[in-house]
Every structure is written in structure tokens, then in C-alpha cells.
Amino acid sequence: RKEVEQDPGPFNVPEGATVAFNCTYSNSASQSFFWYRQDCRKEPKLLMSVYSSGNEDGRFTAQLNRASQYISLLIRDSKLSDSATYLCVVNIAGYSTLTFGKGTMLLVSP
Amino acid sequence: DTAVSQTPKYLVTQMGNDKSIKCEQNLGHDTMYWYKQDSKKFLKIMFSYNNKELIINETVPNRFSPKSPDKAHLNLHINSLELGDSAVYFCASSQDQGTGETQYFGPGTRLLVL
């Protein structure tokens, strides 16, 4: 079983749509959770951390369900500039490295 | 003013050659990393250094040897390059090696082995 699993997509949505990505992780000792964004031929960049209580940053909302070992990212009012690959990332307690999912590709069209 | 920089950006070389990739961060971070992103876009940790000390060495062939002359630099030397080494190599850094630390990535080095 892969450590971090995501639907690779692509998700094709029109501008203004709401889109949600899901991610599951296998290690229950995972302690920290993040969404990173990677544009085509660019480096990954932190989009937002994911907190147990859920958190929102503008049009982006992240949720964590520890019982189901599940993380989600909701994007409202999609913009063309949101087109990218969204990487689900977890950090396992006691390890200093991050474990990346393979990413979900989002394509927002006019 | 780039926070994490890598050189070269592109590297095309023949099988069997030895090459190095350099990484520098000006963020004052204590921890640096090398990741490999293969053609399937899977990003995998290779090495982690904290204050010039090797912390993590994942299952990487010993043809890959990282070197950290100081905590702002982490270079990657690759001996006897193989076709399967073709990938994008990302350097990253974080303030510390704590579990909640944000990692900042360099722009990547695209290595093509012919």
C-alpha cells in the first residue's frame, strides 16, 4: 500500500467551479500534513498546512480526518492560475522528512 | 535574491560520466535535502543534512554522494551515471528538522543521461 495516495487526475474544471481533492495516508503515526502546489516544470511550493480543526486560506479550505487517515483540499471559484499539480504531503512522527503523494493535476479552463 | 538556488539548471551527459549538482540556500536554515522526481512525477527524498551532518540516507545507490561544506550548501555528486538517473533533482531546505517545518525548494536540476 502506498504511503500517500492521491487521484492523479487530471481534473478539468471551468473557471469559477468548485473542486475538491482527496488524499489518504497509510501511516497512523503521521503527525503533520500539508498541501504543496507544483506548477509545470517548477519546484513544489507550500500551499497550506492542514490542521486538525480544518483551516481556510481565501478560496482554499483544507480538512483532516485522522480517524479515516484522510486529507482534503477544496478550491472555490477556480481561477486559470490555479492550474497546477497539488501534492498531498505528510510527515511521520520521528522522521524529519516529508512523504509526498504523486499529486493531482488540476486544469482550469476559460 | 533566490532563497534556494541550484546549478546547473540543465545537465545532459553520457552514461558513465561523473557530475555534480550544487545547492545553496540563503535562508539561514539548518536542514537541507535532496529529492529526486522521476518521469512519473514521484518526488522522493534521497538525503537530509542538519548542520552539515547526514541525517537521512534513503536507499540510494552509493554512486550518489552528498557533501555539505557548510550549512548553507549541500552538493550532490553522482559517479558513473546511468540511464535511470535521468530525473529532476530538487534541493530543499527548512529551518530545522522538526515535523512541522515548511520546506523551501530550489528550481530543480534536469538531468538527462544519454
Side-chain angles (χ1 to χ4, degrees):
Chain A
R1 185 179 172 188
K2 296 190 179 95
E3 293 187 54
V4 179
E5 290 205 60
Q6 297 181 249
D7 181 343
F11 283 56
N12 287 284
V13 302
E15 269 186 293
T18 295
V19 61
F21 306 137
N22 301 320
C23 165
T24 57
Y25 59 95
S26 60
N27 193 319
S28 58
S30 298
Q31 188 168 338
S32 303
F33 309 89
F34 311 90
W35 283 101
Y36 275 68
R37 170 191 168 136
Q38 186 172 22
D39 291 295
C40 187
R41 300 183 67 78
K42 298 285 189 182
E43 72 272 23
K45 292 183 180 177
L46 178 69
L47 177 66
M48 59 197 302
S49 300
V50 186
Y51 303 121
S52 296
S53 54
N55 48 302
E56 189 174 309
D57 182 3
R59 298 181 294 108
F60 299 85
T61 300
Q63 298 277 357
L64 168 64
N65 184 323
R66 286 189 185 268
S68 302
Q69 293 180 201
Y70 169 100
I71 306 159
S72 66
L73 177 69
L74 181 77
I75 306 176
R76 290 180 299 279
D77 189 22
S78 299
K79 311 290 184 193
L80 295 177
S81 57
D82 293 335
S83 296
T85 296
Y86 291 84
L87 304 167
C88 176
V89 186
V90 307
N91 183 285
I92 299 169
Y95 289 86
S96 61
T97 61
L98 302 177
T99 302
F100 285 78
K102 287 192 177 183
T104 297
M105 184 182 291
L106 172 65
L107 299 171
V108 182
S109 53
Chain B
D1 283 23
T2 306
V4 183
S5 58
Q6 295 178 228
T7 54
K9 194 169 182 181
Y10 298 96
L11 187 52
V12 181
T13 188
Q14 300 285 334
M15 275 175 56
N17 284 350
D18 302 339
K19 291 292 177 185
S20 291
I21 308 171
K22 295 186 176 181
C23 177
E24 176 181 359
Q25 53 95 4
N26 62 7
L27 297 166
H29 287 168
D30 287 342
T31 307
M32 295 184 73
Y33 312 83
W34 276 109
Y35 287 87
K36 178 180 179 180
Q37 188 169 45
D38 59 26
S39 57
K40 295 181 181 178
K41 306 300 182 187
F42 186 45
L43 194 64
K44 190 167 183 186
I45 184 73
M46 300 174 70
F47 301 103
S48 168
Y49 269 71
N50 182 263
N51 270 316
K52 303 191 300 174
E53 304 260 337
L54 179 65
I55 303 298
I56 287 173
N57 181 349
E58 291 294 311
T59 308
V60 177
N62 58 14
R63 298 181 294 104
F64 291 78
S65 52
K67 284 190 172 52
S68 183
D70 55 63
K71 72 174 193 177
H73 295 84
L74 180 61
N75 303 324
L76 184 65
H77 187 76
I78 315 171
N79 289 325
S80 303
L81 279 154
E82 299 178 357
L83 293 177
D85 297 332
S86 297
V88 183
Y89 292 84
F90 287 103
C91 176
S93 73
S94 62
Q95 180 62 53
D96 203 340
Q97 53 179 325
T99 55
E101 294 289 335
T102 300
Q103 292 189 13
Y104 296 84
F105 285 78
T109 295
R110 283 151 184 81
L111 171 64
L112 178 61
V113 182
L114 302 174

